[in-house]
Every structure is written in structure tokens, then in C-alpha cells.
């Protein structure tokens, strides 16, 4: 190689190194500039871009986060509605202003129902049934004017399909992160399902999608998008959330917190039954305990040699009855660790405990009760048991207003999983009744005369508060001013899990003893229930457990729903005065029409009750009152 050539190449090498150093310096400068810009932008975003929820006081740093919250919590799918209605930017702009205006009036944006308060509206919100009616309202150009001043949401939401496509690209996430945090997850992506196998004990072996229900409580939804929890399929009416590839990341990000929340509530619930005082109250409830005792001891053809499962055994009193009646084996399931230990010791003390060695074939075994500490949904993880191997399923699962505590879902799970075809479930029927009550069913009479002093001012305020919350108390049957009507009946042997939540109607008329052509005030309605041990299974001795105001009181009492204002009722023979409003003293209602919904609340193990009331006058005129929402918690 010549000297000149070597010098030339050396010069070129030095030139390239200098250029690379300059490029590196430029790159460092650009990165520093970009970081500085990002920091400035971030500061601006933190200070200026706070997006206020359309329905509540929550604020978010991005439109996507806000719309996810609205969809998951308030059943308002902004992007879905835009797509269904084909809204352009201006139509979407109008939609935001329209919803804000309706919320400000405590009115449902979807169905138009006017609620009494913001809290009532929050409870009422539901998935939209027909959004096409909303599009007609959006033709009004008044919604082009911002309803809320300085509403940054109006100028920040995505306005075109290109943005949507870009969003879809940005929602990809790593399965490994989900695997690390959440156990088994099945992700529905349009028509394909991608399942990741994990080792989480709480995961249901069927394909499920981790989804977040309103208020952050976890449900497991099958590929048909129906919410399930504790073995119960809630159906679309239980506020299910449609699967959307965009929503996967937001759902999964909160799933761990939600699952821990449900576990915490369950632990607290089962821990509450560790108090012996509660069990004394239940066992001392003679109506309750005698009904079960009679059903188990007075029907030998049912119990003799039967395999019995007792769901939620507590002290084990029902299991002891079953063993006493001649059952060959009793599987007593109790989720409270303390009460499972107590039930085991009680079975031992009475010579009825079945040890593991006994169950493995000891012919001298006299014990038949085996206590298992777990939730019934996890039973096969605790003991070896064949599906559909139980002859009788017994449980005292009823809560206030029958359905509070949500234990019926677990009983139905046990029925479908462990009960033999044609096996008995005790009780096998349940019925909810409703009737109207008068002034004597309120606290008003007490406050009207307190040692000779009129304190009715307090009574009125108490009555107003009572219209906001359900009250569990005893109603004297003398205070009922209407007939009783059946609201809903359940056949526990055949009902489907998604039938636990229901909407039903009832018609009430003034009682016969009030039909003296005088009006009387109905201050609200009272709910109670009966469960039946019918001749379908209890052939020798059927029985009924009633919590009616007409029967001796039980620890369940009754559930009282108070009207915001009393409704005057009277016989259809009452002559109304002119055009007075129906439900007043001048024109009392001859009938009260009710539409009541009872459903699982967003708070685990609680129920929501909605009450719609209308009065019908003797002349056929009708008057309706605003819907009332109650939460039994």
C-alpha cells in the first residue's frame, strides 16, 4: 500500500470520526430539547388539562381515562354511541353538552327519567336501550353552546376514525405482565379468544374474561359477555360491559385491586358470622329453627340414608338435625374459619363427627358429619367429591328482604354442581310479598306526643330521611292499610341463576276494614318473604317459614320502603272532588300500582331496590311519582 493512499485513508477516517462526534452532539442536544419540551408540556397538562366526568365529580388527566370511567361506572359508552349514531365532531360536541345538561337537572340522559337527587340519578343510570331517540334531540343547535364554561373535554376528544385506529395500535400490552399479576385470563378479541394458562387458585376453570363492574367490583364474564360471580350469571341486565379491544388494558389494570376488594368484603362478611351472638339470635328464632327442624326430622322418607350438603352451616345446627334424622353423610360447608372449627367440635361433642379415617372405610364409624372450611365454589379444592353426588341440599341462605347478602347465588351454584338430578333442595320455594302501611308504621306518632310535648318537627325530618334508605324493622299488621300482594316467586329447584335479579309489578288496594268511604294515608310499602318446604320433597310433613307481619316476628323483621310523600287511598266508591290530583285527600287513589326492581348492587353482597309508584283514581285518572332508589347495605 502506498504512503499517499495510507495518508488519504487516515484523513477520511479522522473526518468520519469528527462527523460522528458532531452527530452525537446534535442528537444529545435534540434529546435534551425534547425532554425539556416534554417537561413543559407535562407541566401544562397537569395544570390545565383536567377533564371532569360527565356524571360525577371525578377528574382525569386524559379523555380516554374519563371515557373508560364513564363506560365502566356510569354505563355511558361515548365512543360506542358516536359509532352507532354516526356522529361527526359537531355531533359529538353536542352529545357532551346534552349529557351535561341532563345530569345538571338530575335527569337520565338515556330514558329521560327525572330523579330527586344526584345520588338517585347515580343509582338509576343504566345501559342505553335505544340511542336513536337521543340523536333526534341532538339536532337542536343549542347544544353547540358549551353547557359548562371552560369544558376542556369539548376540545380534546378524538374527532376521527384515524385517531381511533391509532388508539387501537396504542392499546397493545404484554401478556407476561398480566400473567404475573392476575392468574388465568382469557381475552376476547373480536371473534378470537386467546387464553393464557396461569396458577391462580381463584380462577374459574371455564373460560372467563376479567372485567370490572361499576364501583370497581370484579365479575367474571364468559365469552357470551354475561357477568358471573360466585357461580351466578347476572345477565346483561346486571350492567354487563361489552368487550372492546381498547378496554382490555384498563380492565386488567384494575382487576387485581378489584379482586382484593371482593376478597376483603367476603372475609369481612364471613368474619361477621364468627360472633356467637349472631348465631344465638338465629337459633333462638323459633319460627326459623322449628321450620328447618320439622322439615328435616318429620320427613323420614327423604332423609333416611341420604347424603346431605349443608351450605353455610354456622354452628352446624341443620347438619345435626340431618344426622339425627338418619342421613348417611352430611357435608357441612362453612367459609368462616372460626365457625368451621366450632361446628367440628360440636359434631365431635355429640358423637356425630366423621373423621377422615372414618370416611376411608371404618365400618365402626358412627359419625356422619364432615365439616369443610371453604366457600362452596371452592369445595372440590378441599375434598374429593363427585359432581351430582348429593341427595339433599339444605341451607339457611335468606337475608333481609330475602336477597340481601347474595348467598342464594352460592346455593344455586351448589345445586347445579353437586345435587343429583331430581335431588331435593330445602327450602324449595321462596316468595316476596308487598303491602302498604299507614302512619302507625312510621315514627311520626312517637314524636307527636313526647311526655305531652309536640315534637312532630323531628318526626317530619325523620320521615324525610326514611324515604332515602330502606329500614329493617317490625311492622304491626294493624298498621297495614292495603291488601298484601305477591311481588315475586322463586322455584329454587328450577330457577336460573340470572333470575335472582328481577323487576316485578304489584297492585295494592285499600284493606276491607278501611273501606268506610274515608281516605287513609299510605306512607310506604313493606316487603317480607316466605320460604316453603313443599310436598314436592317433604311428603310427610311440608312446612312454611314466614316473616309476615301477620305471624310471630323473626330476626329478619320486614323491609320498609317509605314514600317521599304519603299517598291517600280509599275505596273505589269514594267520590272525588273535581279535578284534584290523584293521591290527595280530595281524590284518593283506589289502587296503587308498583314496579319494583331488586338487583345486586355494585357493592359486593348488597342489593339495590328501585320503587316506581303510580296511583289510579276512582275515575280512572292516573298520577305517577318520581322513582325512588334504595340501597340495602
Amino acid at each position: 500500500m502506498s504512503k499517499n493512499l495510507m495518508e488519504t485513508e487516515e484523513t477520511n477516517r479522522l473526518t468520519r470520526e469528527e462527523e460522528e462526534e458532531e452527530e452525537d452532539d446534535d442528537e444529545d442536544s435534540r434529546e435534551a430539547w425534547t425532554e425539556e419540551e416534554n417537561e413543559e408540556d407535562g407541566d401544562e397538562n397537569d395544570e390545565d388539562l383536567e377533564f371532569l366526568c360527565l356524571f360525577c365529580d371525578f377528574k382525569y388527566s386524559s379523555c380516554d381515562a374519563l371515557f373508560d370511567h364513564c363506560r365502566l361506572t356510569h354505563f355511558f359508552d361515548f365512543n360506542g354511541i358516536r359509532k352507532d349514531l354516526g356522529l361527526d365532531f359537531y355531533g359529538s360536541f353536542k352529545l357532551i353538552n346534552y349529557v351535561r345538561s341532563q345530569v345538571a337537572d338530575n335527569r337520565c340522559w338515556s330514558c329521560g327519567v327525572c330523579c330527586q337527587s344526584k345520588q338517585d340519578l347515580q343509582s338509576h343510570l343504566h345501559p342505553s336501550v335505544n340511542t336513536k331517540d337521543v340523536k333526534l334531540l341532538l339536532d337542536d343547535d343549542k347544544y353547540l353552546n358549551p353547557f359548562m364554561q371552560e369544558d376542556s373535554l369539548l376540545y380534546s376528544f378524538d374527532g376521527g376514525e384515524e385517531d381511533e385506529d391509532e388508539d387501537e395500535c396504542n392499546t397493545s400490552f404484554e401478556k407476561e405482565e398480566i400473567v404475573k399479576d392476575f392468574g388465568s385470563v382469557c381475552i376476547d378479541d373480536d371473534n378470537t379468544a386467546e387464553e393464557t394458562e396461569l396458577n391462580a387458585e381463584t380462577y374459574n376453570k371455564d373460560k372467563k374474561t376479567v372485567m370490572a363492574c361499576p364501583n370497581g367490583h370484579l365479575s367474571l364474564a364468559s365469552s357470551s359477555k354475561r357477568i358471573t360471580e360466585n357461580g351466578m350469571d347476572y345477565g346483561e341486565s346486571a350492567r354487563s360491559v361489552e368487550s372492546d379491544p381498547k378496554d382490555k388494558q384498563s380492565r386488567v389494570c384494575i382487576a387485581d385491586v378489584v379482586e382484593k376488594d371482593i376478597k376483603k368484603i367476603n372475609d369481612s362478611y364471613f368474619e361477621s358470622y364468627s360472633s356467637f351472638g349472631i348465631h344465638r339470635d338465629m337459633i333462638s328464632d323459633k319460627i326459623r329453627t322449628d321450620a328447618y327442624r320439622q322439615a328435616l326430622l318429620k320427613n323420614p322418607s327423604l332423609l333416611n340414608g341420604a347424603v346431605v350438603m349443608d351450605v353455610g352451616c354456622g354452628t352446624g345446627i341443620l347438619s345435626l338435625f340431618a344426622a339425627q334424622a338418619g342421613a348417611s353423610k352430611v357435608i357441612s360447608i362453612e367459609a368462616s374459619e372460626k365457625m368451621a372449627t366450632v361446628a367440628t367440635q360440636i359434631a365431635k361433642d355429640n358423637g356425630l363427627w366423621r373423621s377422615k379415617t372414618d370416611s376411608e372405610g371404618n365400618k365402626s364409624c358412627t359419625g356422619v358429619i364432615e365439616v369443610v372450611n371453604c366457600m362452596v365454589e371452592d369445595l372440590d379444592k378441599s375434598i374429593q367429591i363427585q359432581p351430582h353426588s348429593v341427595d339433599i341440599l339444605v341451607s339457611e341462605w335468606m337475608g333481609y328482604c330475602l336477597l340481601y347478602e347474595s348467598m342464594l347465588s352460592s346455593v344455586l351454584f351448589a345445586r347445579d354442581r353437586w345435587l343429583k338430578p331430581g335431588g331435593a333442595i330445602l327450602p324449595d320455594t321462596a316468595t316476596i310479598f308487598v303491602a302498604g302501611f299507614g302512619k302507625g308504621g312510621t315514627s311520626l306518632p312517637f314524636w307527636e306526643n313526647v311526655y305531652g310535648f309536640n315534637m312532630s318537627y323531628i318526626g317530619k325530618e325523620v320521615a324525610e330521611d326514611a324515604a332515602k334508605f330502606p329500614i329493617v324493622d317490625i311492622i304491626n299488621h294493624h298498621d297495614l292499610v292495603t291488601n298484601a300482594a305477591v311481588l315475586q316467586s322463586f322455584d329454587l329447584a328450577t330457577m336460573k341463576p340470572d333470575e335472582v335479579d328481577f323487576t316485578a309489578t304489584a297492585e295494592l288496594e285499600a284493606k276491607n276494614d278501611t273501606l268506610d268511604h274515608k281516605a287513609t294515608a299510605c306512607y310506604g310499602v313493606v316487603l317480607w318473604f316466605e320460604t316453603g318446604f313443599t310436598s314436592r320433597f317433604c311428603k310427610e310433613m311440608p312446612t312454611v317459614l314466614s316473616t309476615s307481619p301477620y305471624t310471630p316476628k323473626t330476626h329478619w323483621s320486614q323491609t320498609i320502603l317509605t314514600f317521599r310523600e304519603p299517598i291517600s287511598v280509599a275505596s273505589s266508591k269514594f267520590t272525588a272532588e273535581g279535578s284534584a290530583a290523584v293521591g290527595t285527600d280530595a281524590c284518593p287513589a283506589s289502587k296503587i300500582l308498583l314496579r319494583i326492581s331488586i338487583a345486586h348492587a355494585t357493592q359486593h353482597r348488597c342489593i339495590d331496590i328501585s320503587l316506581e309508584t303510580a296511583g289510579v283514581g276512582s275515575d280512572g285518572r292516573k298520577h305517577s311519582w318520581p322513582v325512588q332508589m334504595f340501597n340495602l347495605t
Side-chain angles (χ1 to χ4, degrees):
M1 180 178 296
S2 68
K3 181 177 179 182
N4 290 337
L5 181 60
M6 292 177 64
E7 290 178 349
T8 301
E9 287 191 354
E10 179 66 17
T11 301
N12 291 339
R13 183 181 65 79
L14 293 173
T15 302
R16 285 197 300 271
E17 288 180 353
E18 290 175 356
E19 289 176 350
E20 288 175 357
E21 288 179 357
E22 290 178 358
E23 288 179 359
D24 289 343
D25 291 341
D26 290 343
E27 183 66 27
D28 291 341
S29 177
R30 283 195 297 270
E31 287 180 358
W33 176 257
T34 301
E35 288 175 0
E36 185 176 346
E37 281 187 329
N38 288 339
E39 288 176 1
E40 291 177 357
D41 291 343
D43 292 339
E44 289 182 3
N45 289 337
D46 291 341
E47 293 176 3
D48 301 331
L49 295 182
E50 277 200 320
F51 301 106
L52 177 66
C53 174
L54 298 171
F55 301 93
C56 65
D57 297 329
F58 283 14
K59 292 183 178 181
Y60 292 86
S61 60
S62 71
C63 292
D64 288 341
L66 184 147
F67 289 137
D68 280 342
H69 163 75
C70 288
R71 179 178 51 79
L72 295 171
T73 303
H74 304 300
F75 317 111
F76 178 74
D77 185 356
F78 177 74
N79 292 318
I81 294 171
R82 289 174 64 196
K83 183 177 180 180
D84 289 343
L85 299 182
L87 298 181
D88 57 12
F89 173 82
Y90 294 104
S92 304
F93 192 97
K94 288 182 177 181
L95 177 61
I96 292 173
N97 287 318
Y98 165 74
V99 173
R100 289 207 188 277
S101 69
Q102 298 302 294
V103 172
D105 292 335
N106 292 328
R107 187 182 300 276
C108 177
W109 72 273
S110 175
C111 68
V113 168
C114 187
C115 299
Q116 288 292 107
S117 65
K118 188 173 182 178
Q119 181 180 1
D120 285 351
L121 176 62
Q122 296 291 325
S123 300
H124 167 80
L125 292 173
H126 56 83
S128 177
V129 177
N130 186 3
T131 55
K132 293 182 179 178
D133 294 338
V134 175
K135 188 172 185 180
L136 296 177
L137 298 173
L138 298 181
D139 290 338
D140 193 331
D141 286 343
K142 71 178 182 181
Y143 295 118
L144 284 174
N145 297 319
F147 181 81
M148 188 180 78
Q149 295 300 317
E150 299 181 359
D151 188 355
S152 56
L153 181 63
L154 292 172
Y155 310 101
S156 304
F157 65 86
D158 294 334
E161 294 180 359
E162 293 180 2
D163 293 334
E164 293 180 4
D165 294 339
E166 183 177 346
D167 286 343
E168 290 185 8
C169 295
N170 291 335
T171 56
S172 61
F173 55 94
E174 294 296 330
K175 290 189 293 183
E176 289 78 4
E177 295 181 10
I178 304 171
V179 171
K180 178 176 65 177
D181 292 333
F182 303 120
S184 185
V185 177
C186 171
I187 302 165
D188 285 335
D189 188 356
D190 297 329
N191 297 322
T192 63
E194 183 178 2
E195 186 174 8
T196 310
E197 293 298 331
L198 313 161
N199 295 321
E201 292 183 357
T202 56
Y203 175 65
N204 191 311
K205 292 181 180 178
D206 297 329
K207 288 186 177 180
K208 304 292 181 183
T209 303
V210 176
M211 301 179 68
C213 285
N215 208 28
H217 293 296
L218 183 69
S219 290
L220 297 175
S222 64
S223 57
S224 62
K225 302 189 181 87
R226 300 179 68 84
I227 296 176
T228 62
E229 182 182 289
N230 289 346
M232 174 181 172
D233 184 352
Y234 283 72
E236 294 177 2
S237 63
R239 306 174 178 180
S240 61
V241 182
E242 291 293 333
S243 176
D244 184 338
K246 288 186 182 181
D247 306 325
K248 296 172 187 173
Q249 192 170 13
S250 62
R251 287 203 306 265
V252 174
C253 287
I254 64 174
D256 193 33
V257 175
V258 168
E259 187 173 9
K260 290 177 181 177
D261 186 30
I262 285 188
K263 184 180 185 303
K264 184 185 297 183
I265 293 173
N266 280 336
D267 290 344
S268 177
Y269 169 70
F270 296 127
E271 181 64 25
S272 70
Y273 278 92
S274 297
S275 167
F276 294 140
I278 292 177
H279 292 281
R280 176 170 179 169
D281 288 342
M282 292 189 291
I283 293 174
S284 300
D285 186 340
K286 190 171 177 61
I287 302 298
R288 165 199 182 267
T289 307
D290 279 357
Y292 278 91
R293 184 172 184 271
Q294 182 169 297
L296 292 168
L297 294 182
K298 302 296 183 180
N299 292 282
S301 65
L302 177 65
L303 269 294
N304 224 349
V307 175
V308 178
M309 179 177 288
D310 180 3
V311 178
C313 71
T315 61
I317 184 65
L318 304 187
S319 299
L320 297 170
F321 288 154
Q324 187 179 14
S328 62
K329 182 179 181 181
V330 181
I331 304 169
S332 307
I333 305 169
E334 176 53 51
S336 166
E337 182 178 358
K338 177 179 177 180
M339 291 312 301
T341 302
V342 169
T344 299
Q345 188 60 50
I346 290 174
K348 288 180 179 179
D349 293 345
N350 289 273
L352 295 172
W353 181 60
R354 179 188 181 94
S355 68
K356 291 183 178 180
T357 55
D358 292 337
S359 61
E360 290 171 359
N362 187 344
K363 295 184 178 180
S364 62
C365 167
T366 58
V368 297
I369 297 177
E370 179 180 357
V371 181
V372 186
N373 176 211
C374 70
M375 293 179 62
V376 70
E377 292 83 1
D378 300 324
L379 180 63
D380 52 359
K381 298 175 184 176
S382 300
I383 64 171
Q384 290 186 347
I385 179 173
Q386 292 298 317
H388 311 299
S389 58
V390 172
D391 299 303
I392 301 171
L393 179 65
V394 64
S395 178
E396 195 277 80
W397 53 268
M398 298 83 73
Y400 299 130
C401 198
L402 184 67
L403 298 175
Y404 177 65
E405 297 181 17
S406 302
M407 189 175 168
L408 178 56
S409 303
S410 294
V411 173
L412 297 180
F413 176 91
R415 180 200 67 184
D416 295 339
R417 178 72 172 168
W418 313 117
L419 192 63
K420 289 180 178 179
I425 182 170
L426 302 178
D428 61 308
T429 65
T431 306
I432 301 177
F433 296 86
V434 61
F437 64 88
K439 188 175 182 179
T442 71
S443 63
L444 291 174
F446 173 84
W447 293 108
E448 288 175 349
N449 187 349
V450 180
Y451 290 95
F453 297 100
N454 180 3
M455 296 188 179
S456 57
Y457 178 84
I458 296 177
K460 291 178 182 178
E461 187 168 327
V462 171
E464 291 176 359
D465 289 340
K468 302 175 183 177
F469 308 99
I471 299 172
V472 177
D473 203 352
I474 298 293
I475 286 280
N476 191 306
H477 68 90
H478 295 298
D479 293 324
L480 299 182
V481 297
T482 75
N483 65 307
V486 172
L487 180 65
Q488 182 76 346
S489 295
F490 300 100
D491 184 339
L492 303 177
T494 61
M495 70 177 291
K496 297 178 181 179
D498 61 3
E499 293 172 350
V500 175
D501 292 350
F502 70 89
T503 298
T505 58
E507 183 178 300
L508 304 180
E509 296 181 353
K511 287 175 64 176
N512 290 331
D513 55 4
T514 64
L515 300 185
D516 53 2
H517 305 292
K518 293 182 180 180
T520 185
C522 179
Y523 279 77
V525 294
V526 56
L527 304 176
W528 69 88
F529 66 86
E530 291 182 355
T531 54
F533 303 81
T534 72
S535 58
R536 170 168 45 179
F537 301 123
C538 299
K539 301 187 183 303
E540 290 93 346
M541 184 67 73
T543 189
V544 173
L545 190 169
S546 176
T547 65
S548 166
Y550 293 96
T551 60
K553 67 179 182 180
T554 69
H555 76 283
W556 286 286
S557 303
Q558 289 90 37
T559 302
I560 301 167
L561 308 178
T562 305
F563 295 150
R564 292 192 181 96
E565 59 184 62
I567 300 173
S568 185
V569 295
S571 164
S572 58
K573 298 178 181 179
F574 188 96
T575 302
E577 298 178 9
S579 59
V582 175
T584 61
D585 290 340
C587 183
S590 60
K591 296 179 182 178
I592 295 179
L593 307 180
L594 303 173
R595 186 172 186 266
I596 297 176
S597 298
I598 300 180
H600 288 74
T602 54
Q603 185 175 353
H604 190 47
R605 295 197 176 277
C606 300
I607 58 174
D608 284 334
I609 305 173
S610 70
L611 172 63
E612 299 173 60
T613 311
V616 180
S618 57
D619 56 0
R621 289 186 298 121
K622 184 178 177 182
H623 177 72
S624 299
W625 287 267
V627 63
Q628 290 180 253
M629 305 297 300
F630 301 89
N631 176 256
L632 188 54
T633 183

